[in-house]
Amino acid sequence: MAPDTSICKEVPKFHSIHADYSKSNANTEVQKVPSTKSGTASIGRPGISSSNGVHELLVCHICMSMMYPPIHQCPNGHTLCSECKLRVHNRCPTCRHELGNIRCLALERVAESLEHHCKYQSLGCYDIFPYFGKLKHEQECQFRPYNCPYAGSECSVMGDIPTLVTHLKDDHKVDMHDGCTFNHRYVKSNPEEVENATWMLTVFNCFGKQFCLHFETFRLGMAPVYMAFLRFMGDDNEAKKFSYTLEVGAERRKLAWQGVPRSIRVSHQKVRDSQDGLIIHKNLAIFFSGGDGRELKLRLTGRIWKEQ
């Protein structure tokens, strides 16, 4: 990080300052990055799954997704998944016959005997799983994409960490800093008017990993507060290997926080609601800013280190 102090400006009411960005992200984007490594934390096992012909029987021809029990069929034998059965209003889309409540038990038994690749195979998970185990695994797969950690807008972009780092830099114009210490100054005019607002996200490259520094103001109950916290761009198990401190103060007084960065798997809102960070009440923030109440000027310093 450069030795000079960064000055961070407010982005009010959680709206992105990049007005044209929302147009380019109307739909969720999942960036697929090939990998040559298999999942080391996966509970599956490498092997050869069942023949493609059998798997094709388990594809719902309406939504083209894999069918999981209960699997429904019409009197003429056309099958569909339970979600599509609700969407077609009990009418077979192939022959237009009334569906009723007929289950395809034979196909369900076949499905239960098969093994399937994780749907994140293209992102690096090459293991296969029993039919029902696949669903549970995919909820916790270490290769599943991450949500964009930017808190200033409702961004729907998803991807692996390198993809999101590039996305934050190019699309959100996020400040990127190298180093494990930081010294930021946060400025806000008229701090008496405390509404939901966030300052521009800052990302630190430290120990070969990326950390997101959040700073924002909101009402905690009826009390207006400012809050700073750190999130780790990676899984929770990796995040627990690091610790960080945050400090703010003036006039020979100091308020400090020490904690463990939360993974970006945990939503920004959940971290904020859990109050897992440095919380500064409005009156103290104004005192640290000089006491006149005309402008907020908080100097936030911090350090990230790796636990032994």
Side-chain angles (χ1 to χ4, degrees):
M1 177 180 171
D4 55 314
T5 300
S6 298
I7 300 179
C8 304
K9 296 183 179 180
E10 175 192 2
V11 182
K13 296 183 181 296
F14 288 96
H15 293 301
S16 171
I17 63 173
H18 311 296
D20 61 340
Y21 179 71
S22 59
K23 297 179 182 178
S24 63
N25 289 285
N27 299 316
T28 299
E29 303 174 13
V30 179
Q31 304 291 337
K32 297 181 178 181
V33 179
S35 172
T36 58
K37 297 181 180 180
S38 62
T40 57
S42 172
I43 60 172
R45 60 182 180 83
I48 301 175
S49 57
S50 302
S51 67
N52 290 335
V54 175
H55 278 278
E56 288 176 1
L57 294 175
L58 294 172
V59 174
C60 175
H61 295 287
I62 300 173
C63 65
M64 303 308 294
S65 299
M66 295 293 293
M67 293 187 292
Y68 294 89
I71 298 174
H72 300 275
Q73 68 174 30
C74 75
N76 291 324
H78 303 123
T79 57
L80 72 164
C81 69
S82 56
E83 291 185 3
C84 287
K85 181 178 184 292
L86 297 174
R87 287 199 288 263
V88 300
H89 305 292
N90 204 38
R91 183 72 60 180
C92 176
T94 302
C95 65
R96 310 305 301 169
H97 199 286
E98 186 175 350
L99 288 172
N101 292 308
I102 306 174
R103 295 267 294 274
C104 186
L105 299 179
L107 195 56
E108 289 182 7
R109 292 192 182 97
V110 171
E112 293 170 2
S113 69
L114 298 181
E115 292 182 323
H116 302 262
H117 286 285
C118 172
K119 70 178 181 180
Y120 302 122
Q121 181 181 11
S122 61
L123 295 176
C125 184
Y126 297 111
D127 291 342
I128 62 174
F129 302 86
Y131 197 74
F132 291 106
K134 174 179 179 289
L135 294 177
K136 181 179 180 181
H137 160 78
E138 288 173 350
Q139 294 175 353
E140 302 174 352
C141 179
Q142 68 178 45
F143 292 97
R144 71 192 189 277
Y146 296 87
N147 293 315
C148 173
Y150 190 78
S153 66
E154 296 297 328
C155 182
S156 60
V157 171
M158 301 174 68
D160 60 9
I161 298 303
T163 297
L164 289 184
V165 169
T166 301
H167 162 69
L168 288 171
K169 181 179 179 180
D170 294 344
D171 297 326
H172 291 299
K173 310 303 180 185
V174 166
D175 289 333
M176 301 284 177
H177 294 269
D178 293 324
C180 299
T181 60
F182 47 90
N183 184 351
H184 281 10
R185 189 160 65 101
Y186 293 94
V187 179
K188 183 183 190 300
S189 60
N190 195 5
E192 295 292 339
E193 297 179 0
V194 177
E195 300 293 340
N196 284 351
T198 183
W199 278 257
M200 180 63 71
L201 179 71
T202 305
V203 174
F204 297 95
N205 298 308
C206 177
F207 297 106
K209 305 293 182 180
Q210 288 75 39
F211 299 82
C212 299
L213 177 62
H214 298 265
F215 187 80
E216 58 191 69
T217 176
F218 59 96
R219 291 189 180 275
L220 187 60
M222 296 299 294
V225 298
Y226 297 88
M227 182 175 178
F229 56 92
L230 206 67
R231 287 203 293 167
F232 175 74
M233 295 189 70
D235 281 326
D236 187 60
N237 289 337
E238 189 75 11
K240 292 177 180 177
K241 299 178 182 179
F242 299 91
S243 295
Y244 73 100
T245 57
L246 296 174
E247 295 182 359
V248 63
E251 301 294 331
R252 294 185 297 169
R253 294 169 176 84
K254 180 170 64 175
L255 186 65
W257 164 267
Q258 179 172 323
V260 177
R262 302 286 287 274
S263 166
I264 60 171
R265 296 278 190 210
V266 182
S267 71
H268 161 269
Q269 186 69 38
K270 187 173 182 179
V271 177
R272 196 187 86 168
D273 291 347
S274 68
Q275 303 175 38
D276 190 5
L278 176 65
I279 296 178
I280 314 156
H281 289 272
K282 185 194 73 172
N283 290 341
L284 186 58
I286 292 175
F287 176 78
F288 285 157
S289 301
D292 57 14
R294 291 180 298 181
E295 188 176 41
L296 179 81
K297 294 180 180 179
L298 287 179
R299 186 177 299 279
L300 181 71
T301 61
R303 181 172 70 93
I304 305 167
W305 69 92
K306 192 171 185 178
E307 298 290 348
Q308 299 298 323

